[in-house]
């Protein structure tokens, strides 16, 4: 990352021209599509109604993508008794929320399902993506381009991984909904790439490239330009039916009030003609708060289930895959002043870990509240919050190795293999997960 930053600064010194975001979203009226990639139209398909299983993939470069991949493999290899038949637990996943590095795994699984286990390692995890991007940045022909560094990344991901896929390709029967999350640079809003949020832009998500959404979710500011979308005025500034009630609900909730206010700014068409999206980890590096947002904006879990027209499940399961690291600081081993890189990393790590801790506590309380709200005397809803992170690795040598894996898109095969293995072991050995399998007769 530091090398890329140096290259970017060099480019800024060499050229004074401005770059402009390439617009690839279209007005709702231009598509005429009857379907939508939305929470309202998302179907349970053949999944059991007994379990609501949600996954959240954090940021952390290829390290995050690899541990998330390992969790998917472990869910695939675990069978549970559903309606009297043994089924892979992976088939019961209802939704995946992701940011940054985790979005690559989530998006590819959303597009290809179990095909991810055949080629994702070669196409992405064990590909030297960081150096490929760096070589493209060094190309002098790109220094004078008006499209910016991010457009180069979009084209790279299109060519190597997503191959022209749009959200229309995400409309796959019996597959979970994927919430790829970015941050609105102008207003700090967590923005999920679903039709409900795209309605605020008077735009249709189905024609939007998946590679562009994933690039937005992982576009670290300064290193990469924001992904830009146009805020069309075709539908006027009428509030969606779900946003107006959310205003009243947010009156006594400062954080929800900030979210509602931020989303309402998209209705000011004259002021906000464009929106600039960057790394989703800025507003939530765990991918958990996006789940909280969509449920609470609907008016709470009861109203959310009513909109979905679903029966309450017997179990609500949320698996948080946290790829953040906590390496021992080298600066404390001497009185030498820390480098700029060490100082910046230390400051960002402190803020990240504090915010992550607050997010985990919020979701723990919220999950219990959702289960209580959905429970009836005849049908009690259980909740299971399964937290996976490197700090739960028992072997000191393995834990130290994992914590030293950098936030990078250029990892060694050994680092990738260890991160994938960690995803398996963390889930398999988690006590809450073991309790869930006992209840379902898992194997």
């Amino acid at each position: 990352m530091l090398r890329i930053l140096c290259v970017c600064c060099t480019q800024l010194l060499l050229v004074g021209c401005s770059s402009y975001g390439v617009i690839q979203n279209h007005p709702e009226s231009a598509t005429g599509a009857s379907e939508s990639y939305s929470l309202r139209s998302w179907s349970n398909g053949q999944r059991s109604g007994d379990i609501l299983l949600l996954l959240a993939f954090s940021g952390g470069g290829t390290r995050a993508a690899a541990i998330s991949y390992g969790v998917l493999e472990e869910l695939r290899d675990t069978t549970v008794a559903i309606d009297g038949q043994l089924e892979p637990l992976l088939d019961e996943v209802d939704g995946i929320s992701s940011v940054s590095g985790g979005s690559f795994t989530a998006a590819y699984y959303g597009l290809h399902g179990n095909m991810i286990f055949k080629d994702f390692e070669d196409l992405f995890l064990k590909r030297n993506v960081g150096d490929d991007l760096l070589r493209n940045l060094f190309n002098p022909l790109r220094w004078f381009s008006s499209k910016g560094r991010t457009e180069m990344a979009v084209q790279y991901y299109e060519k190597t991984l997503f191959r022209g896929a749009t959200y229309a390709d995400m409309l796959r029967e019996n597959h979970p909904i994927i919430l790829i999350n970015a941050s609105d640079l102008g207003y700090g809003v967590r923005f999920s790439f679903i039709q409900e949020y795209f309605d605020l832009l008077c735009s249709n998500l189905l024609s939007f490239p998946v590679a562009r959404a994933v690039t937005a979710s992982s576009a670290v500011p300064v290193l990469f330009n924001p992904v830009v979308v146009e805020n069309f005025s075709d539908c006027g500034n009428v509030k969606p039916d779900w946003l107006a009630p959310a205003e009243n609900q947010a009156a006594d909730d400062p954080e929800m009030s900030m979210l509602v206010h931020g989303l309402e700014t998209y209705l000011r068409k004259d002021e906000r003609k464009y929106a600039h999206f960057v790394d989703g980890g800025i507003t939530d590096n765990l991918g958990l708060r996006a789940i909280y947002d969509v449920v609470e904006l609907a008016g709470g879990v009861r109203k959310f289930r009513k909109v979905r027209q679903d029966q309450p499940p017997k179990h609500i399961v949320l698996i948080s895959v946290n790829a953040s690291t906590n390496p021992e600081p080298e600066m404390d081993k001497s009185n030498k002043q820390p480098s700029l890189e060490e100082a910046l990393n230390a400051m960002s790590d402190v803020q990240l870990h504090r915010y992550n801790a607050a997010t985990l506590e919020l979701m723990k309380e919220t999950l219990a509240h959702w289960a209580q709200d959905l429970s009836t005397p005849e049908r009690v809803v259980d909740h299971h919050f399964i937290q996976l992170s490197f700090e739960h690795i028992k072997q000191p040598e393995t834990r130290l190795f994992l914590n030293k894996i950098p936030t990078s898109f250029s990892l060694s095969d050994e680092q990738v293999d260890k991160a994938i293995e960690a995803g398996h072991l963390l889930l398999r050995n988690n006590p809450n997960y073991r309790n869930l399998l006992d209840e379902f007769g898992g194997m």
Side-chain angles (χ1 to χ4, degrees):
M1 285 298 185
L2 190 60
R3 285 186 296 159
I4 297 175
L5 181 59
C6 290
V7 173
C8 295
C9 291
T10 301
Q11 290 185 35
L12 292 174
L13 291 172
L14 287 173
V15 295
C17 58
S18 299
S19 61
Y20 295 86
V22 175
I23 306 300
Q24 286 202 340
N25 66 309
H26 304 290
E28 283 181 320
S29 58
T31 60
S34 58
E35 295 180 296
S36 67
Y37 195 80
S38 65
L39 295 168
R40 290 176 182 271
S41 61
W42 160 47
S43 170
N44 281 340
Q46 297 177 0
R47 292 188 296 278
S48 166
D50 286 347
I51 179 172
L52 174 64
L53 178 53
L54 303 172
L55 310 179
F57 294 164
S58 80
T62 301
R63 183 184 69 242
I67 185 176
S68 299
Y69 178 80
V71 168
L72 291 180
E73 282 191 325
E74 185 65 24
L75 290 170
R76 176 202 61 187
D77 297 340
T78 302
T79 56
V80 292
I82 301 292
D83 297 330
Q85 295 185 340
L86 290 177
E87 303 285 350
L89 189 53
L90 181 59
D91 290 352
E92 293 300 310
V93 173
D94 294 279
I96 304 175
S97 174
S98 65
V99 296
S100 201
S103 290
F104 289 89
T105 306
Y108 201 79
Y109 180 69
L111 286 168
H112 302 290
N114 284 355
M115 286 296 295
I116 191 175
F117 305 119
K118 296 184 179 295
D119 57 12
F120 188 64
E121 285 191 56
D122 292 333
L123 290 176
F124 183 77
L125 295 180
K126 293 183 176 178
R127 191 186 196 108
N128 203 330
V129 173
D131 280 2
D132 287 348
L133 293 176
L134 191 60
R135 277 192 295 272
N136 283 329
L137 287 174
F138 267 121
N139 185 346
L141 296 177
R142 295 189 179 273
W143 293 358
F144 297 92
S145 171
S146 63
K147 294 183 178 180
R149 298 177 296 277
T150 291
E151 194 59 29
M152 173 271 296
V154 172
Q155 293 172 2
Y156 175 83
Y157 298 141
E158 283 279 20
K159 179 181 178 181
T160 61
L161 194 61
F162 296 111
R163 298 168 183 174
T166 66
Y167 270 85
D169 299 303
M170 285 274 216
L171 287 173
R172 306 181 73 233
E173 190 175 357
N174 298 324
H175 277 266
I177 192 164
I178 308 297
L179 296 181
I180 297 174
N181 303 292
S183 302
D184 186 319
L185 189 60
Y187 284 82
V189 179
R190 282 185 295 276
F191 189 95
S192 300
F193 285 86
I194 50 174
Q195 187 56 52
E196 281 82 356
Y197 280 25
F198 255 55
D199 284 341
L200 297 169
L201 305 172
C202 301
S203 184
N204 193 297
L205 181 61
L206 288 184
S207 60
F208 196 74
V210 174
R212 197 164 290 274
V214 173
T215 303
S217 182
S218 58
V220 178
V222 181
L223 297 181
F224 292 97
N225 316 101
V227 168
V228 184
V229 297
E230 187 166 352
N231 187 12
F232 297 104
S233 58
D234 297 44
C235 62
N237 58 355
V238 179
K239 293 180 184 178
D241 56 5
W242 53 267
L243 187 56
E247 286 181 316
N248 298 327
Q249 183 191 356
D252 298 322
D253 186 336
E255 183 162 348
M256 185 59 62
S257 180
M258 289 178 62
L259 173 63
V260 171
H261 171 73
L263 293 175
E264 287 178 338
T265 63
Y266 297 115
L267 303 177
R268 304 204 298 261
K269 304 297 182 179
D270 292 339
E271 301 174 25
R272 299 211 68 189
K273 295 184 178 181
Y274 300 93
H276 297 76
F277 296 133
V278 294
D279 194 336
I282 293 175
T283 49
D284 172 26
N285 196 52
L286 295 176
L288 288 170
R289 289 183 183 252
I291 299 173
Y292 174 86
D293 290 347
V294 296
V295 174
E296 295 304 309
L297 284 170
V301 70
R302 277 192 178 185
K303 290 185 178 179
F304 181 78
R305 302 299 292 185
K306 187 176 181 181
V307 168
R308 297 273 303 110
Q309 298 181 343
D310 293 335
Q311 292 295 322
K314 292 181 181 178
H315 303 269
I316 301 177
V317 183
L318 177 54
I319 301 177
S320 171
V321 186
N322 179 6
S324 63
T325 57
N326 193 20
E328 297 179 359
E330 294 292 324
M331 70 177 76
D332 291 341
K333 296 180 180 180
S334 77
N335 63 348
K336 180 183 177 181
Q337 292 290 353
S339 66
L340 177 61
E341 181 184 9
E342 289 176 317
L344 290 174
N345 286 340
M347 288 186 291
S348 62
D349 285 348
V350 168
Q351 295 178 38
L352 175 66
H353 289 301
R354 285 181 179 273
Y355 192 58
N356 282 356
T359 297
L360 290 168
E361 187 61 28
L362 171 68
M363 291 308 300
K364 181 179 179 180
E365 295 175 357
T366 299
L367 208 62
H369 181 67
W370 288 348
Q372 184 178 12
D373 275 0
L374 291 175
S375 293
T376 64
E378 298 79 21
R379 186 182 177 98
V380 176
V381 178
D382 293 328
H383 66 281
H384 309 261
F385 188 28
I386 299 169
Q387 302 177 47
L388 311 179
S389 69
F390 293 149
E391 66 184 46
H392 299 138
I393 296 289
K394 294 182 179 180
Q395 297 81 5
E397 299 83 2
T398 303
R399 186 170 62 249
L400 180 62
F401 181 92
L402 292 168
N403 276 302
K404 286 186 176 181
I405 298 177
T407 302
S408 166
F409 286 111
S410 297
L411 301 184
S412 68
D413 287 358
E414 181 186 15
Q415 289 171 324
V416 170
D417 289 338
K418 289 286 188 182
I420 293 174
E421 182 184 8
H424 282 273
L425 294 176
L426 284 169
L427 184 57
R428 187 184 309 155
N429 298 328
N430 183 278
N432 291 335
Y433 183 67
R434 300 307 311 174
N435 291 338
L436 175 69
L437 294 186
D438 288 343
E439 293 185 40
F440 274 89
M443 299 175 60

